[in-house]
Every structure is written in structure tokens, then in C-alpha cells.
Amino acid sequence: MPQWPALSKLCSERVISRPGWVNWTWTARTLETDLGVGVRKIVVHGDGFALAELADGDREYLDEHGDKAFDVDHDGRDMPIQYPVHRLAITDESGKELLGQVTWHPVGYGPSYGCLAWNFGRNLLPNKRGKGIGTAVLKALVRHLFATTDVDRIEGSTDVTNVRAQKSLEKAGFIREGVLRGAQLRGGKRQDMISYSLLRTDPMPS
């Protein structure tokens, strides 16, 4: 059975301290205590990026600077079910520059714990896409979830028109399962999604 060891730099934690000098870039969110932004604790170290706890204001910043290309419709109705959503910021290696976020939540396929899966989402800021970061982030998230939880299935989906995301998922080792017809409501229309998954017993992506 393939093993899912943590990457050599995964699952370690450190707190980013304020540097003596800051090279300001206003096109991406950076940490600076003078602006009242909290520090981010790095949870996963990757090659050229990190996954870290979100700082105050990160979600608002991502919402303001995202392109909302695949945002779903909201009509004010309460969801009949509630589930915990876990989030990590995607940052540069230092944890200072915010690049996006990943989320994951449990979904159930039966009445027992063994029927649970993690369903993930990934969102990069528009100017950070197309550089290979998204695929590396997915590989790191998979290793992190298999190393730190006992759930055996990780799944995600993407719009049928989002070819770039589909290629990224496949490069990260995910298996294409099929089309989820009319799964999302966006722009007042039902949109098809393509479902992908990865099992703990599947080959580990290189």
C-alpha cells in the first residue's frame, strides 16, 4: 500500500516575526504590525510557498481582490445542513505575502466515520495563477491531510469550462470521476462540475 509521508518541510510550525525593513508591494497583502495585521503561523512549508493560518482581514482581502469568476449565487436562504470549514492561507515561503487560500470540509457517503471524505477548495489571486503554484499547493494539502487526519478520501470539483484547473488537479494526482450535472447555481443558471478524487491507497504524486 502506498504511504503518504509528510514532505520534508511539511507540518512544521513557526511564527513570522516582523522584519527590520519591509519592501512594500501594494499588489499583494503583506504582514506589518503597524497596520494592525496579525502574524501568520506557518503550518505547511512548500517549495516557494507556505500554507499558514489566516490573519485578521485575510478573507476580506481575498474577497476584494479576487475575480469572482466561479462564485455561486446566494439568495439569503439558510442552509439546511452546517459543516465545519477549515481554512489555510496560501502565502510565499516567509508567510508574509498572501497568494490565496485553501479550504476543506467533511462530506459523508454513509452513516459511519469510514464513509467520510474531505472536499477541498482552492483559490489563488488572479495574478498568481498559471505559475504552477496551484498544483504544488494541492500536492502539499493532500500530504498534509493524509498525514494529520485518518480520512481516506480527498475530493474536489471544478467547472467543466475551467480547463486550467482540471489540468492542475490531474497533475496533482487526482482521478477524474465524472460530471456532476447542474451541481452549482451561478449567474442564475445550473452549471455542470467535473468531480475528482484521490484515495490514500492511490499512487502518491511526484
Side-chain angles (χ1 to χ4, degrees), residues 23-132:
N23 211 352
W24 288 109
T25 58
W26 294 108
T27 56
R29 180 179 175 84
T30 57
L31 291 181
E32 175 53 50
T33 53
D34 288 348
L35 297 181
V37 179
V39 296
R40 299 189 187 99
K41 177 189 281 188
I42 293 180
V43 177
V44 175
H45 289 273
D47 185 10
F49 70 93
L51 301 181
E53 295 177 1
L54 276 76
D56 292 342
D58 279 354
R59 290 178 64 182
E60 292 78 6
Y61 181 89
L62 292 170
D63 184 63
E64 180 181 350
H65 291 82
D67 57 13
K68 307 184 189 307
F70 295 100
D71 281 7
V72 299
D73 294 352
H74 296 278
D75 59 13
R77 289 179 292 179
D78 291 334
M79 291 286 286
I81 56 173
Q82 298 291 331
Y83 44 75
V85 178
H86 308 276
R87 302 176 187 273
L88 287 174
I90 306 170
T91 71
D92 65 355
E93 285 186 289
S94 71
K96 291 193 301 181
E97 183 183 356
L98 183 62
L99 311 179
Q101 71 170 336
V102 290
T103 65
W104 64 97
H105 65 270
V107 295
Y109 291 98
S112 69
Y113 189 95
C115 300
L116 287 177
W118 290 124
N119 185 288
F120 75 89
R122 173 194 54 176
N123 182 29
L124 283 168
L125 291 171
N127 63 344
K128 302 301 178 183
R129 298 172 190 161
K131 301 178 181 180

Side-chain angles (χ1 to χ4, degrees), residues 159-195:
D159 191 89
V160 292
T161 64
N162 194 347
V163 177
R164 176 181 289 178
Q166 294 164 32
K167 291 181 178 178
S168 177
L169 281 158
E170 289 162 7
K171 287 180 181 178
F174 281 82
I175 307 300
R176 179 174 173 142
E177 293 185 325
V179 175
L180 304 171
R181 298 186 306 125
Q184 287 191 343
L185 183 64
R186 282 184 273 111
K189 297 180 180 179
R190 284 284 164 192
Q191 305 291 334
D192 293 348
M193 306 288 286
I194 298 178
S195 175

Side-chain angles (χ1 to χ4, degrees), residues 3-11 44-47 49 51 90 102 120-122 132-148 154 167-174 198 203-206:
Q3 298 298 310
W4 288 86
L7 291 175
S8 58
K9 295 191 288 184
L10 288 185
C11 303
V44 175
H45 289 273
D47 185 10
F49 70 93
L51 301 181
I90 306 170
V102 290
F120 75 89
R122 173 194 54 176
I133 298 173
T135 300
V137 164
L138 283 183
K139 291 179 180 180
L141 179 64
V142 164
R143 287 174 167 86
H144 176 65
L145 293 180
F146 280 149
T148 60
I154 300 173
K167 291 181 178 178
S168 177
L169 281 158
E170 289 162 7
K171 287 180 181 178
F174 281 82
L198 194 58
M204 183 171 61
S206 58

